Amino acid sequence: MSKDGGSAKRFVLLGTDYVYPRTTNKILRAFLKAKGIADADIMEDYTPFGHSDYQSIIAKIKKFASEGKKTAVVSTINGDSNVPFYKELGNQGLKATDVPVVAFSVGEEELRGVDTKPLVGHLAAWNYFMSIKSPANTEFVKKWSDYAKAKGIAGHKDKPITNDPMEATYLGIMMWKAAVEKAKSTDTDKVIAAMAGQTMAAPGGFMSTMDKENHHLHKPVFIGEIKADGQFNVVWKTKGPVVADPWSDYIPENKGKKNVPEVKK
């Protein structure tokens, strides 16, 4: 919506039909309205899991974008459907300079099976990208590469790839390990109590913290542009980790809510 972002005035909210995209788009629609975007300038559409025919949907997006205002797409399409969606973007020549797509669920692994040359410049928002330059990430990528090659993991033996879900899983397991060591027990309630406030130098180059109140992680946000080789060039990032907030204030019924886990004493 900024000048640097192309000053988009119309938005397509496109997702897979389940709770995450619908909740995300509920927040996004409220956010956009708070910024003065009219309902008529927001198109919302959903496809089932495994959907593979995006020809008519991309045509609808092109028509919506041709009606006089700069348009952007926010995609919460999940899983295998991303491959036919991005292939169809390329087939219909919908370039990032015309209608940029920013995805919340597309990373390096999803783009592995796609010709990314026509997709250069489209965006993704994550807490981690493989291309991030940091000593912690260099070590993380090397560890995975060595492991994948040694184990002969399909698709990764010759081209090891890391992505945001892998980094998140790694952080979670390592923080659980540290909590077990602190609690000197694997008892669930003791580990839950010991998890609060855990910190770890994350591969993304920041110190990640487990929130003491709600056990969500404080993590940075990165926006990356798709490159021709399927990797991402980071074009924007937060100054540091974002404090975890499990309730969006853009949704009226959420205001003032806190998500505090109950821990047995």
Side-chain angles (χ1 to χ4, degrees), residues 45-240:
D45 209 342
Y46 296 94
T47 51
F49 279 105
H51 190 75
S52 59
D53 183 6
Y54 282 92
Q55 192 170 352
S56 61
I57 289 172
I58 299 296
K60 255 169 57 174
I61 292 170
K62 288 177 80 171
K63 182 178 183 302
F64 187 73
S66 71
E67 294 170 0
K69 294 180 182 177
K70 178 70 176 180
T71 301
V73 177
V74 180
S75 170
T76 45
I77 295 172
N78 259 274
D80 294 343
S81 292
N82 278 299
V83 174
F85 170 68
Y86 277 94
K87 281 182 177 177
E88 192 59 35
L89 272 185
N91 290 343
Q92 295 201 33
L94 203 62
K95 296 179 180 178
T97 48
D98 302 324
V99 180
V101 176
V102 58
F104 293 172
S105 301
V106 168
E108 297 84 348
E109 183 65 29
E110 287 79 13
L111 293 178
R112 184 195 287 273
V114 180
D115 178 10
T116 50
K117 294 181 187 67
L119 307 178
V120 168
H122 286 300
L123 304 161
W126 286 107
N127 306 115
Y128 167 87
F129 287 108
M130 183 177 176
S131 59
I132 288 169
K133 302 288 190 294
S134 79
N137 193 35
T138 300
E139 182 185 0
F140 179 63
V141 172
K142 185 179 186 307
K143 278 183 177 179
W144 170 246
S145 298
D146 291 346
Y147 179 82
K149 288 172 184 175
K151 295 292 183 179
I153 296 173
H156 285 261
K157 182 180 178 182
D158 301 318
K159 189 183 177 184
I161 283 177
T162 58
N163 62 12
D164 180 285
M166 291 172 69
E167 191 243 18
T169 303
Y170 173 75
L171 281 178
I173 290 171
M174 296 304 287
M175 282 188 170
W176 177 86
K177 174 180 177 289
V180 168
E181 290 169 348
K182 181 181 177 181
K184 295 182 172 58
S185 170
T186 56
D187 177 80
T188 302
D189 291 324
K190 290 178 181 177
V191 173
I192 288 171
M195 283 291 271
Q198 287 283 351
T199 60
M200 183 178 171
F206 291 84
M207 189 64 69
S208 193
T209 304
M210 177 76 70
D211 195 280
K212 289 182 179 180
E213 286 193 340
N214 58 45
H215 286 202
H216 287 255
L217 285 179
H218 299 183
K219 301 184 79 175
V221 178
F222 301 94
I223 295 178
E225 283 186 347
I226 297 174
K227 294 166 59 181
D229 63 358
Q231 286 290 321
F232 289 85
N233 177 41
V234 175
V235 294
W236 183 89
K237 62 183 178 181
T238 51
K239 290 180 181 178

Side-chain angles (χ1 to χ4, degrees), residues 1-76:
M1 295 175 75
S2 67
K3 288 182 180 178
D4 290 342
S7 300
K9 302 293 184 186
R10 304 194 100 193
F11 291 85
V12 177
L13 309 181
L14 181 61
T16 301
D17 195 3
Y18 76 111
V19 64
Y20 163 62
R22 285 192 176 270
T23 304
T24 300
N25 290 336
K26 183 177 181 179
I27 295 167
L28 282 173
R29 184 177 281 273
F31 172 81
L32 291 170
K33 288 180 77 172
K35 297 294 182 181
I37 304 295
D39 276 331
D41 289 323
I42 303 171
M43 171 182 152
E44 196 168 338
D45 209 342
Y46 296 94
T47 51
F49 279 105
H51 190 75
S52 59
D53 183 6
Y54 282 92
Q55 192 170 352
S56 61
I57 289 172
I58 299 296
K60 255 169 57 174
I61 292 170
K62 288 177 80 171
K63 182 178 183 302
F64 187 73
S66 71
E67 294 170 0
K69 294 180 182 177
K70 178 70 176 180
T71 301
V73 177
V74 180
S75 170
T76 45

